[in-house]
């Protein structure tokens, strides 16, 4: 190898001493063979060699560069490949750690995501096309001044991650925020699922009830779960009627999904993000409990809807049914009927005197039932045909557990006679020292007496006094 090229390779660290020595020896041997023939020529051309060395310098440099370029990748592959890979791997690990830390910092202050099928955006600065035209004015009128998730979390006494945890929707989950059990329905053939929220969610729902839902408008025909309203006020409206029609809404609570709740809250001025969170806090999907590979899974079998047993569900039903109550009230008035609603029980009654001038002297029962079905369908509900009852004068007319037949000298709405007999007999047996039957403990008897007191204060007070005497005797 050319000595000048060898020197350049050594300077670049691309040629070891041993390799250069071997190459020099090879060159020396080849040179020795030609020395004898070339001595004369060398002696004659010494002057010309000096001149040629200067002229050959550029080609030698070019050859050196080519040799360096050719040798560099091989040496880098042999000596630096492992270090290069380790460096890249360390950089990748560092990027993943930084990305995870950045994500944790972001989700600590932002909702970010609420589960599959739930729209969410953290940027609340942009106006939403579905906002109420006078959203802020509407919210101020109802004193619903919640603007974003951070403010809602502060009002609930929660952190953003805790609020997201309570609101998050999963189709398949390893846990649930509710305790559920079955109770038999009145027909004795089917059961009703009661879902009671656990402590942390129940606290949030009670705050929602007091600070948001109780401020929403409801119709005057609604009598369930309202202050100064009860089953008594619901039944008294229909006392003395000639015809009473009872209608039941099929799957009432499951029909009110989280999207309907969200729409209700947005209609009353709450922004999109807050309405989404509140609707998720107050709803839950019906779930099946499944055992899979040693784990208990809760699998959703329908959309999120109002659970029976949550403190927010009754108030939401009254607010959502505002337009339904308006339409049914208008239908009833047009046909000479009176109308009330207690949860999912709709009651219509026709009295001998027309409610409005010009109405028919005979009840238009068929027209009423057709109109009820059409209105319910238009409002997203369906009529439970199996529970529709038409009760005429002369038959027993029972509304929300109370009798409303207009018998002379009777209260407008009263407890059924058999209930009074059962209560008196149970109290008498306890006074005589006989053991009570199952379901006839003192607390159960006290509840039945309070039920009587709602419709007949004097009789209920006397029964409560006898029960108090029994309780005092048992303690003594």
């Amino acid at each position: 190898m050319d000595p000048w090229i060898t020197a350049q390779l050594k300077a670049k660290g691309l040629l070891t001493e041993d390799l250069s020595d071997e190459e020099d020896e090879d060159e020396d041997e080849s040179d020795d063979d030609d020395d004898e023939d070339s001595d004369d020529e060398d002696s004659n051309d010494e002057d010309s060699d000096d001149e040629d060395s200067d002229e050959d310098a550029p080609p030698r440099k070019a050859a050196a560069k080519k040799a360096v370029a050719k040798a560099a990748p091989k040496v880098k592959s042999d000596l630096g490949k492992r270090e290069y890979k380790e460096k890249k791997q360390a950089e990748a690990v560092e990027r993943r750690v930084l990305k995870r830390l950045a994500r944790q910092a972001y989700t600590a202050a932002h909702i970010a995501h609420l589960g599959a099928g739930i729209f969410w955006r953290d940027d609340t600065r942009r106006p939403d096309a579905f906002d109420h035209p006078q959203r802020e004015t509407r919210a101020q009128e109802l004193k619903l001044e919640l603007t974003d998730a951070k403010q809602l979390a502060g009002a609930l006494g929660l952190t953003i991650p805790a609020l997201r945890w309570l609101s998050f929707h999963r189709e398949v989950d390893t846990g649930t925020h509710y305790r559920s059990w079955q109770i038999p329905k009145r027909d004795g053939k089917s059961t009703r699922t009661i879902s009671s929220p656990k402590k942390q969610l129940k606290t949030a729902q009670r705050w929602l009830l007091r600070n948001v839902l109780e401020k929403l408008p409801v119709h005057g025909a609604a009598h369930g779960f309202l202050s100064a309203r009860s089953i008594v006020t619901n039944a008294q409206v229909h006392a003395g009627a000639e015809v009473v029609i009872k209608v039941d809404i099929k799957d009432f609570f499951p029909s009110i999904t989280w999207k309907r709740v969200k729409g209700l809250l947005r209609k009353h001025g709450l922004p999109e993000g807050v309405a989404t969170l509140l609707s998720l806090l107050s709803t839950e999907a019906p779930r099946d409990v499944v055992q899979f590979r040693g784990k208990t899974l809760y699998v959703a079998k329908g959309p999120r809807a109002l659970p029976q047993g949550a403190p927010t569900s009754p108030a939401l039903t009254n607010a959502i049914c505002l337009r339904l109550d308006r339409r049914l009230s208008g239908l009833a008035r047009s046909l000479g009927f009176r109308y009330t609603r207690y949860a999912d029980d709709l009651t219509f009654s026709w009295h001998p005197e027309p409610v409005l001038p010009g109405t028919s002297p005979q009840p238009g029962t068929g027209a009423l039932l057709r109109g009820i079905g059409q209105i319910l369908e238009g409002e997203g509900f369906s009529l439970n045909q199996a529970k529709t009852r038409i009760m005429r004068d002369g038959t027993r007319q029972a509304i929300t557990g109370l009798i409303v037949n207009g018998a002379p000298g009777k209260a407008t709405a009263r407890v059924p006679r058999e209930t009074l007999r059962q209560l008196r007999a149970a109290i008498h047996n306890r006074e005589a020292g006989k053991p009570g039957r199952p379901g006839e403990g003192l607390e159960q008897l006290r509840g039945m007496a309070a039920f009587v007191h709602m419709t007949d204060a004097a009789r209920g007070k006397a029964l409560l006094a006898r029960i108090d005497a029994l309780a005092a005797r048992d303690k003594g």
Side-chain angles (χ1 to χ4, degrees):
M1 182 182 292
D2 191 307
W4 191 88
I5 295 177
T6 302
Q8 294 296 319
L9 291 175
K10 286 182 178 180
K12 298 289 185 177
L14 302 176
L15 188 66
T16 61
E17 293 292 340
D18 296 338
L19 181 60
S20 63
D21 292 342
E22 292 176 359
E23 292 177 349
D24 291 342
E25 291 175 1
D26 294 340
E27 291 179 0
D28 291 342
E29 291 177 358
S30 61
D31 290 343
D32 290 341
D33 295 336
D34 298 334
D35 280 345
E36 295 178 358
D37 298 332
S38 60
D39 285 342
D40 295 337
E41 295 178 1
D42 291 342
S43 60
N44 295 330
D45 298 334
E46 287 179 358
D47 296 336
S48 61
D49 288 342
D50 294 337
E51 295 176 359
D52 293 341
S53 62
D54 294 336
E55 295 176 357
D56 294 341
R60 290 168 65 186
K61 289 182 179 180
K65 290 181 179 180
K66 290 182 179 180
V68 170
K70 185 176 181 180
K74 182 177 180 181
V75 175
K76 182 182 290 185
S77 175
D78 293 340
L79 301 179
K81 186 175 182 180
R82 179 173 297 176
E83 290 80 356
Y84 179 78
K85 290 179 65 175
E86 290 177 352
K87 179 182 178 182
K88 289 298 182 182
Q89 290 174 354
E91 291 176 353
V93 171
E94 184 178 3
R95 283 195 301 270
R96 287 195 295 269
V97 171
L98 292 175
K99 186 176 181 180
R100 183 172 65 252
L101 293 176
R103 180 67 178 176
Q104 290 175 354
Y106 183 83
T107 55
H110 300 82
I111 293 295
H113 184 51
L114 287 172
I118 309 296
F119 172 77
W120 178 264
R121 65 176 184 182
D122 286 314
D123 184 8
T124 58
R125 294 172 296 178
R126 295 180 297 170
D128 193 285
F130 296 97
D131 277 337
H132 192 278
Q134 292 84 32
R135 186 189 69 77
E136 295 181 356
T137 303
R138 180 68 170 166
Q140 290 174 359
E141 290 175 354
L142 297 175
K143 297 181 179 179
L144 304 176
E145 299 179 4
L146 294 170
T147 58
D148 54 27
K150 184 177 180 180
Q151 186 180 8
L152 176 61
L156 292 172
L158 300 172
T159 62
I160 290 292
L163 177 59
R164 179 173 56 248
W165 176 64
L166 290 175
S167 308
F168 205 91
H169 172 72
R170 291 182 177 88
E171 291 295 320
V172 179
D173 207 345
T174 56
T176 176
H177 295 295
Y178 289 83
R179 296 184 179 91
S180 301
W181 63 92
Q182 305 288 328
I183 62 172
K185 289 186 177 180
R186 190 177 302 174
D187 58 10
K189 299 178 181 179
S190 56
T191 59
R192 188 189 311 275
T193 301
I194 303 298
S195 299
S196 176
K198 296 179 182 178
K199 183 177 180 180
Q200 191 171 13
L201 179 58
K202 182 179 288 187
T203 301
Q205 289 181 346
R206 285 175 174 167
W207 182 94
L208 172 59
L209 175 64
R210 293 190 305 269
N211 295 277
V212 178
L213 302 183
E214 289 182 350
K215 299 177 181 179
L216 301 180
V218 298
H219 196 271
H223 287 260
F225 320 109
L226 293 170
S227 178
R229 300 288 181 92
S230 65
I231 59 173
V232 177
T233 60
N234 180 68
Q236 285 175 343
V237 175
H238 308 286
E242 185 172 309
V243 178
V244 174
I245 301 175
K246 291 173 56 178
V247 174
D248 184 81
I249 300 176
K250 186 177 181 180
D251 298 329
F252 182 55
F253 284 88
S255 298
I256 302 177
T257 62
W258 76 274
K259 292 183 179 180
R260 296 185 69 174
V261 175
K262 178 180 176 179
L264 169 74
L265 297 175
R266 297 199 67 182
K267 177 182 177 181
H268 290 291
L270 288 175
E272 197 272 340
V274 174
T276 299
L277 289 168
L278 294 182
S279 63
L280 293 174
L281 285 173
S282 55
T283 58
E284 172 63 336
R287 296 182 181 272
D288 283 332
V289 181
V290 178
Q291 298 296 328
F292 181 73
R293 294 182 179 177
K295 294 183 178 180
T296 301
L297 301 178
Y298 299 85
V299 182
K301 57 181 180 179
R304 295 180 72 98
L306 295 183
Q308 287 186 263
T312 50
S313 295
L316 281 169
T317 60
N318 286 333
I320 285 177
C321 289
L322 175 61
R323 190 171 67 177
L324 171 69
D325 291 336
R326 286 174 177 169
R327 296 182 66 184
L328 290 177
S329 293
L331 173 67
R333 283 196 304 270
S334 67
L335 297 174
F337 283 82
R338 299 177 186 177
Y339 163 71
T340 61
R341 181 181 59 81
Y342 192 94
D344 58 345
D345 292 327
L346 314 180
T347 307
F348 301 83
S349 62
W350 187 85
H351 297 253
E353 299 80 15
V355 177
L356 292 177
T359 56
S360 172
Q362 297 296 326
T365 305
L368 178 67
L369 291 175
R370 286 192 298 271
I372 292 172
Q374 293 171 359
I375 291 174
L376 286 177
E377 184 178 357
E379 294 297 324
F381 298 104
S382 59
L383 181 66
N384 191 344
Q385 298 284 357
K387 291 188 176 181
T388 300
R389 298 286 184 272
I390 300 176
M391 301 170 289
R392 300 185 182 277
D393 191 20
T395 62
R396 182 176 181 177
Q397 297 173 335
I399 300 173
T400 54
L402 299 175
I403 306 302
V404 296
N405 292 79
K410 298 292 184 180
T412 56
R414 55 197 180 276
V415 176
R417 188 179 304 170
E418 58 269 21
T419 302
L420 281 172
R421 289 175 178 172
Q422 180 184 355
L423 178 57
R424 289 198 193 101
I427 295 175
H428 176 75
N429 290 336
R430 295 295 294 266
E431 290 174 339
K434 297 180 181 180
R437 297 178 180 178
E440 292 183 353
L442 288 181
E443 292 304 318
Q444 285 84 355
L445 296 179
R446 195 186 304 277
M448 294 175 66
F451 181 47
V452 175
H453 188 272
M454 292 175 63
T455 60
D456 191 337
R459 182 175 293 176
K461 186 176 181 180
L463 293 172
L464 286 170
R466 293 173 65 183
I467 295 172
D468 290 338
L470 287 173
R473 188 188 69 179
D474 292 345
K475 288 182 180 180

